[in-house]
Amino acid sequence: MNNKLISIALTGLLASTSISSAFGTNISIVGRIQAEYSGINIEGFSSQTTVNDPTFFSSWGIRAFEDLGNGFRVVTMIDFGFNTNGGSIGNREVFVGISKDSLGTLKFGRTHSPFADFAGGWTIDPFVYTTLQATGSGGTMIASANGLGSGSYSAVNSVVRFTSTTFNGFSFAVLLMPGDADKLEAHLGGHLGGHGNNIGDTGGENGEWDVQFAAKYVMDFQSHKLEVFSGYSRDNVSSAQKKITAFNLKTEEVGRIGGVWSYKNFSLQGQYDFISDALGAATCSDAAALGAIGDVSTRQCNTAMNPGGDGSIWYAGGQYRLGNTTLIAQGGMTDANKTDVFASRKSKSFTVGGLYHMSKRTNLFGGYQHVDVIDKNSIVDRDRNTWTVGMRHLF
């Protein structure tokens, strides 16, 4: 139902211009642009409103491929983010690879992770890349850009990724990132990296490889469609992180299960993550950023674990398509267990709203989200209320 529209919006692969070079390479110019009028009220701060693209959805890029024969072709992508208020956000995906329809696609460079765009993650969140997204709100994971990220804004540097074609409903994806990658983009926040302004210090040491694996199975039966998925992520502790003796950091592991069930115009979706020994991929990062309003940070760190701690995150939602309108209700809860340094924290969220599909490339969206925060480390629980209306176009 709505999942196809979400996938198109997130990959940004709708080409308005396609040309062939003199060397036989097919080149497409792709892009997307979005603006929201949103209001965010964080307990203890003044309510703030703004008109911009707070989740950095907008981007433009170049996609190219060359037919090599025998079903093989070279694929490349260069994607640049920008802010509708002016200014550049930086690179998104930048990769080169090779694909074959009967096997799959192998990429080298900077890509999104399977936890983001393959098994759950943003693929089951109809509000992804809006102020109402589940990422960071207490519903789905946030992540660093170099910590095998599962957040909507993040991508993973210096990786090898293979995504298989679908065999009888089954498909899988695997991502590898070499160790000693301590000079790559990280943007960690909280106690592992200030307020997200540091660069580096993620990735394993002594040649260890971080790894993420995910698989899913899709089945159609009459008017029913069922998709189930699972995944595993391993983020090795870096040399710099080991020196933070206060937390006794170890290798982070994340397990995920989830699924989507659709029947005609109705669908349900959900996932569950369990995090052990949290590092970059499960602590606050720029993947949770909503930009800044004046001096007030709107970073959504409500799905973060305590550094070095365990915890869990679940998300569930439903959608109903009525003509050109999709009605949405969803929510989630995060449990961050206590550690030797920090007390436990919880956050619960619910979101209601809708999408109006003006065309296959353009939609209007809007809604309301409440996040209830229970933080035993703070005197004041910073609950938040968010509303937004916005417009999105793909070109």
Side-chain angles (χ1 to χ4, degrees):
M1 185 187 12
N2 195 43
N3 290 342
K4 183 177 180 180
L5 177 64
I6 297 169
S7 177
I8 293 173
L10 293 174
T11 56
L13 298 183
L14 286 174
S16 61
T17 303
S18 183
I19 60 176
S20 295
S21 74
F23 302 100
T25 298
N26 293 288
I27 303 172
S28 298
I29 300 174
V30 299
R32 58 201 191 188
I33 188 167
Q34 172 178 290
E36 296 182 53
Y37 174 43
S38 57
I40 301 175
N41 186 342
I42 302 175
E43 185 175 351
F45 297 96
S46 299
S47 179
Q48 304 287 336
T49 59
T50 186
V51 178
N52 63 356
D53 181 12
T55 57
F56 315 115
F57 175 80
S58 301
S59 73
W60 72 275
I62 299 173
R63 180 185 56 166
F65 70 89
E66 179 188 10
D67 190 353
L68 300 177
N70 296 320
F72 289 95
R73 63 178 182 172
V74 172
V75 293
T76 64
M77 181 69 187
I78 305 173
D79 193 16
F80 300 95
F82 63 88
N83 193 318
T84 52
N85 281 358
S88 174
I89 300 300
N91 294 333
R92 300 292 175 79
E93 287 194 296
V94 182
F95 64 80
V96 62
I98 188 168
S99 71
K100 184 177 176 63
D101 290 342
S102 61
L103 296 176
T105 302
L106 180 66
K107 299 177 181 179
F108 304 89
R110 174 178 167 90
T111 75
H112 296 300
S113 79
F115 267 33
D117 67 2
F118 179 80
W122 69 42
T123 68
I124 60 174
D125 179 8
F127 280 128
V128 67
Y129 272 116
T130 75
T131 312
L132 305 177
Q133 64 184 4
T135 302
S137 70
T140 60
M141 283 182 62
I142 58 178
S144 67
N146 194 33
L148 298 183
S150 60
S152 53
Y153 174 50
S154 64
V156 188
N157 284 305
S158 186
V159 303
V160 179
R161 172 174 169 171
F162 177 75
T163 305
S164 77
T165 191
T166 301
F167 303 96
N168 297 320
F170 175 81
S171 58
F172 68 92
V174 61
L175 179 149
L176 299 172
M177 185 183 80
D180 296 317
D182 61 346
K183 294 183 179 179
L184 301 179
E185 180 183 5
H187 291 278
L188 295 181
H191 296 277
L192 294 185
H195 297 286
N197 295 319
N198 70 310
I199 302 293
D201 296 338
T202 67
E205 63 174 357
N206 299 326
E208 295 174 318
W209 284 68
D210 291 349
V211 62
Q212 192 172 105
F213 175 84
K216 63 182 176 182
Y217 178 75
V218 179
M219 178 182 67
D220 289 295
F221 177 72
Q222 295 180 351
S223 298
H224 298 267
K225 182 177 181 179
L226 178 65
E227 174 185 318
V228 292
F229 54 82
S230 63
Y232 169 78
S233 176
R234 177 185 174 90
D235 192 355
N236 292 293
V237 63
S238 71
S239 301
Q241 289 169 335
K242 283 187 175 182
K243 295 177 182 177
I244 309 176
T245 56
F247 304 129
N248 188 29
L249 298 173
K250 302 175 183 178
T251 293
E252 173 190 282
E253 295 181 285
V254 181
R256 168 176 292 180
I257 57 171
V260 180
W261 169 71
S262 300
Y263 177 72
K264 295 183 177 179
N265 293 333
F266 179 74
S267 70
L268 294 173
Q269 64 272 357
Q271 71 179 33
Y272 174 83
D273 291 315
F274 179 79
I275 300 94
S276 175
D277 298 314
L279 290 175
T283 57
C284 185
S285 76
D286 275 3
L290 292 178
I293 303 174
D295 295 328
V296 179
S297 171
T298 59
R299 294 165 60 80
Q300 296 197 86
C301 298
N302 298 302
T303 48
M305 300 291 106
N306 288 320
D310 302 338
S312 61
I313 307 171
W314 67 260
Y315 158 87
Q319 304 174 52
Y320 182 73
R321 181 73 178 259
L322 185 64
N324 290 337
T325 302
T326 300
L327 303 176
I328 301 161
Q330 59 189 31
M333 184 168 68
T334 295
D335 281 303
N337 298 340
K338 67 178 182 179
T339 64
D340 294 338
V341 179
F342 297 102
S344 63
R345 296 181 297 104
K346 287 187 178 181
S347 60
K348 296 179 287 185
S349 69
F350 71 86
T351 306
V352 292
L355 303 170
Y356 179 73
H357 313 284
M358 303 176 70
S359 71
K360 291 183 178 180
R361 298 189 180 192
T362 304
N363 68 51
L364 304 175
F365 57 87
Y368 167 80
Q369 180 183 86
H370 175 74
V371 182
D372 179 28
V373 179
I374 304 172
D375 188 352
K376 295 182 179 179
N377 301 280
S378 176
I379 299 175
V380 178
D381 293 331
R382 301 294 183 187
D383 296 350
R384 71 164 63 202
N385 294 283
T386 303
W387 59 264
T388 193
V389 291
M391 184 174 184
R392 169 181 296 175
H393 175 71
L394 311 176
F395 61 89

